[in-house]
Amino acid sequence: MKAQSGRVWVVLLLVALLVPTIRGVVYGKERLIIFGTARPEIPESNLRELGKRFEAEHPNVEVVWRLEGPWSELLLRLTTARLSGEPIDLIVAPANQVNSSLVRKQLLMDLTEVVPQGVWDRVDPATLGAYTIGGRRWGVPFSYVATAGWYYNEDAFAKAGVHPPKTYDDMVQVAKKLRAVGYVPAIHQGKNAWMWPMWYFETFAQTSRNRSVEYTKMNLTGKRQFTSDADVEALAWIKRFFDDGILTSASMDTDQDAMRAAFVSGKAAMYYGGTWELPWLRDNAKGFKVGVFKFPRLYVDSTVQPPGGPDHSLAISSGIDRSKLALAVEFIEFATRKDNAELWIGPMEPVASAIKDVPGATGGIAEQMRKEFMKDTITYLDWIWPQEINEAMQAAIQAVVTNQKTPREAMQDVQDTFNQLVKRGYRFDYWESWTPADWKKVTP
Amino acid sequence: MRSRRHDLARSRRLSLRLRQYLDAYWMIGPAFALYMMMVLYPIGREIVMSFHEWDVFSPMRWVGVTNYRSALADAVFLRGLSNNILYALVVTVAKNVFGLWLAILLTGADVKGRNAFRTAVFIPVTLSYVAVGMLWSWVFNPTFGLLNQVLRLFSIPASSGVLGNPRLSLWAIMFVDIWKWTGFHTVIFVAGLLNIPPELYESAAIDGAGSWQRFRCITLPGLKSVVEVSVLLAMVGAFVRNFDLVYVMTGGGPAHATEIVLTWMHKQAFQFLRFGYAAAQGVILFVLVMVLSALYLRALRRQSAS
């Protein structure tokens, strides 16, 4: 028995020793690993084609796509990859995590001088801001440029005899009439906590009289407080959507699938969402015509500013094997060429594209959103504030709309979270405190 | 000569025993190594980590008991802990009471299709937490859900959302947990009930004992050891095996109403990269469950001794 067990151990040891060799034989080619979250809007065949074209130009390279899971779990997957020593070369980096985590944690390489000027010239300059931190560029924008609005069922509106509302009071009236003809006026994916801050971006833009980005930066540098009147008022406005019957508590129990199902099945007449809804609506809203209108105006003297921006970018992992850096840069150059970028961005039905040569979708609501919404679109505030504040904000909004806290109490919780962060060493301009050794980690 | 032979025999016995032990150690070696690697090492590492600040990407920094102090001052963690305790209490009692009740029904002499019922009761146990969580999320959905369809059938006003209501959401998750695991406890109790000699019930019936008396004086004492194990399993499970269900059904929301220690730990570790702080919360939960289990087992031992 002992001898038999001994043999098993020897075999196991041999296998363990041979695995790297066997892998080397199978993967004789150099592997370029592209890490990111799942992109269901891009057909698998497009990804394969993109990889094949690059491999045709680089016969000794194999492109490996590691695009899995929702965007909210990117950091989790990066963490586990780092813990397990999994190599990562390129990262399809969402803008919200570039500032809040990826650059802060020195996970991305500073691309300012690494990527040739010719590549930067291919990018819409308006989209570069989302990936510029401390005056350095950390990602090459490579996606649609998002904005947001209310999608509505035109047939339902016609049946109720209403038109897309422009002001909040109009919206209350529209909701009443829709309910009278049997529709749930509006549905929201309130169960997905991450969607609630989108409402706050809209209301705060107006309660701050269109200074929300500036005020947020002031809050994060301690020059202002999250408990200031405009911030509290923004939260109170979200609650009014429930109090005035535009939304019902059913929205608190609804996720994205259920929200979309309620809309396309004709139960709910409208919902609020980003331009990422467009490909899905195109494929699924068949029995009626879909229209779109801007978030209602809350004050006579405020301008509606939908939140949005270039969703994701191509970035290089700071942990990349430096011998593969040139290859990674070549991939970025290759991917941002018009024909190749179309394979990636085209299926997203972009209202606008971060790559200048890739045209935005024409006709229908995409074109309407590009013409009417894009000019006023401002950066999502969760691209500016840290994850902890985002989480606190989600809980604050949920607490207010479910009557657990007043808007002021809820915003005090957000301020308390911020104070704790500062105690633990948070600073808005974190890059200013980086040492030369820190900079060395993120430069070639 | 005799003494030398005696020494020789003794040394042979010793060597035989040593060989036996060595064989035993050789056999359990791989399992023990795995246990060390998968259980003891992570526990030890978590305890060490809880005294550090660590974000995975930078070196660990010693912070002493700061993480423990922060946890005990963290309102969301304390809410999670109190939710955990309520959860464990309700779920442990309910699973065992319903499990025992179903077991008694299913071992009754006059149950037709007994095996089919036993299988039906056990099916939820075999389903994954994620599937169960998604299934019940859709049942509770106020727009499409089965719950509202059934309520409407009986002309009861439809619910406007269970999981989105902070007063109901934790109870809804507990209900699903009870639904999933009652079958497991039923099977344990069925096995226990089948071990009680039927003659005891027959003679009690002849002596005129009613069903309650038979239950109190024969069934419960006969099931004592089974109940002990069942309660311990349910209690420990309710503290440390509820993450998946809460994560899938509510993610700890709305506004932390269903937050439990594990979901808050997960957020701290994987959203905010505060691994040391998350580890401290894990250690607090570990100690709590260990103390409760020890107290429970001690109480049982005392009861047995008396």
Side-chain angles (χ1 to χ4, degrees), chain A residues 332-345:
Chain A
I332 292 177
E333 186 284 323
F334 164 85
T336 50
R337 291 179 209 161
K338 181 177 185 288
D339 290 350
N340 300 325
E342 269 178 348
L343 282 174
W344 183 276
I345 302 172

Side-chain angles (χ1 to χ4, degrees), chain A residues 2 5 9 73 75-76 79 83 105 107 191 249-250 252-253 258 261-262 267 388 391 395 398-399 402 404 424, chain B residues 26 30 54-57 137 141-142 144 160-164 166 247 249 254-256 266 270-275:
Chain A
K2 196 169 88 177
S5 303
W9 279 104
E73 285 178 8
L75 200 58
L76 186 154
T79 313
L83 284 170
K105 296 290 175 191
L107 299 179
K191 203 170 154 185
S249 56
M252 295 304 298
D253 210 347
K267 278 181 185 271
E388 287 87 344
E391 210 279 334
Q398 287 184 327
T402 54
Q404 292 186 83
R424 295 206 309 268
Chain B
W26 185 248
W54 188 45
D55 66 358
V56 175
F57 305 106
S137 292
N141 183 283
F144 297 100
S160 58
V162 175
L163 296 176
Y247 187 74
M249 292 182 74
H256 304 300
H266 180 265
F270 293 107
Q271 270 188 33
F272 311 147
L273 299 180
R274 296 181 72 195
F275 280 82

Side-chain angles (χ1 to χ4, degrees), chain A residues 16-314:
Chain A
L17 289 172
L18 282 173
V19 163
T21 319
I22 295 166
R23 275 170 65 103
V25 173
V26 176
Y27 298 112
K29 295 178 171 181
E30 190 163 28
R31 306 173 88 205
L32 184 70
I33 296 163
I34 304 171
F35 194 90
T37 55
R39 308 243 55 107
E41 67 276 36
I42 306 172
E44 192 70 29
S45 55
N46 285 29
L47 289 180
R48 272 200 304 273
E49 179 61 24
L50 198 57
K52 261 190 207 163
R53 288 185 192 174
F54 188 71
E55 287 163 6
E57 286 187 18
H58 301 80
N60 287 323
V61 174
E62 182 193 0
V63 175
V64 181
W65 297 102
R66 293 263 164 81
L67 307 178
E68 295 151 14
W71 66 266
S72 52
E73 285 178 8
L74 179 74
L75 200 58
L76 186 154
R77 289 183 52 244
L78 274 172
T79 313
T80 47
R82 179 64 65 102
L83 284 170
S84 63
E86 182 186 345
I88 296 169
D89 301 322
L90 284 147
I91 300 176
V92 180
N96 67 328
Q97 296 190 355
V98 165
N99 187 24
S100 63
S101 319
L102 301 180
V103 177
R104 190 179 288 273
K105 296 290 175 191
Q106 298 165 357
L107 299 179
L108 300 184
M109 187 158 283
D110 175 4
L111 301 183
T112 318
E113 277 95 33
V114 174
V115 169
Q117 188 55 43
V119 174
W120 294 119
D121 291 343
R122 292 175 188 163
V123 177
D124 179 347
T127 62
L128 284 171
Y131 299 94
T132 305
I133 296 162
R136 314 296 297 171
R137 292 173 183 170
W138 304 90
V140 177
F142 188 60
S143 69
Y144 60 86
V145 184
T147 182
W150 282 87
Y151 301 102
Y152 71 99
N153 178 335
E154 287 193 3
D155 296 358
F157 271 46
K159 195 173 162 191
V162 293
H163 298 287
K166 290 207 182 317
T167 65
Y168 181 78
D169 292 338
D170 292 346
M171 191 143 186
V172 174
Q173 293 310 314
V174 166
K176 268 185 194 160
K177 289 182 179 168
L178 284 166
R179 202 176 305 106
V181 291
Y183 286 98
V184 173
I187 188 103
H188 176 60
Q189 48 176 311
K191 203 170 154 185
N192 288 335
W194 61 267
M195 265 302 288
W196 279 116
M198 291 272 291
W199 288 67
Y200 182 80
F201 307 156
E202 293 270 14
T203 54
F204 188 37
Q206 296 193 58
T207 57
S208 66
R209 298 304 189 274
N210 308 112
R211 296 176 71 186
S212 58
V213 172
E214 180 194 343
Y215 281 178
T216 298
K217 286 180 180 170
M218 287 169 74
N219 287 347
L220 294 174
T221 45
K223 292 173 188 150
R224 211 176 155 275
Q225 299 254 311
F226 285 98
T227 46
S228 305
D229 288 345
D231 309 50
V232 174
E233 188 64 16
L235 212 53
W237 268 107
I238 300 175
K239 174 111 175 32
R240 282 190 63 180
F241 279 81
F242 284 86
D243 294 344
D244 293 334
I246 298 167
L247 289 173
T248 68
S249 56
S251 283
M252 295 304 298
D253 210 347
T254 301
D255 59 13
Q256 188 181 42
D257 290 339
M259 175 190 76
R260 287 170 164 182
F263 184 70
V264 294
S265 66
K267 278 181 185 271
M270 50 184 168
Y271 75 92
Y272 176 71
T275 38
W276 54 83
E277 294 292 334
L278 292 177
W280 189 88
L281 284 169
R282 176 199 62 208
D283 295 339
N284 296 280
K286 300 288 186 195
F288 56 89
K289 206 169 166 221
V290 178
V292 67
F293 61 88
K294 273 189 187 176
F295 200 86
R297 213 174 57 243
L298 307 178
Y299 303 96
V300 181
D301 59 342
S302 63
T303 304
V304 179
Q305 290 183 307
D311 185 75
H312 52 270
S313 65
L314 280 175

Side-chain angles (χ1 to χ4, degrees), chain B residues 7 9 25 28 31 45 84 100 104 127 131 140 153 166 245-246 253 292 295 297:
Chain B
D7 285 350
Y25 283 130
I28 63 165
R45 190 161 162 81
N84 251 137
L100 181 57
I104 291 170
L127 301 175
F140 290 138
L153 211 64
L245 212 50
V246 175
L292 284 176
L295 285 176
L297 291 173

Side-chain angles (χ1 to χ4, degrees), chain A residues 219-220 222 416-427:
Chain A
N219 287 347
L220 294 174
D416 291 345
T417 303
F418 177 71
N419 294 342
Q420 286 293 326
L421 269 178
V422 173
K423 260 191 200 164
R424 295 206 309 268
Y426 170 87
R427 59 181 285 184

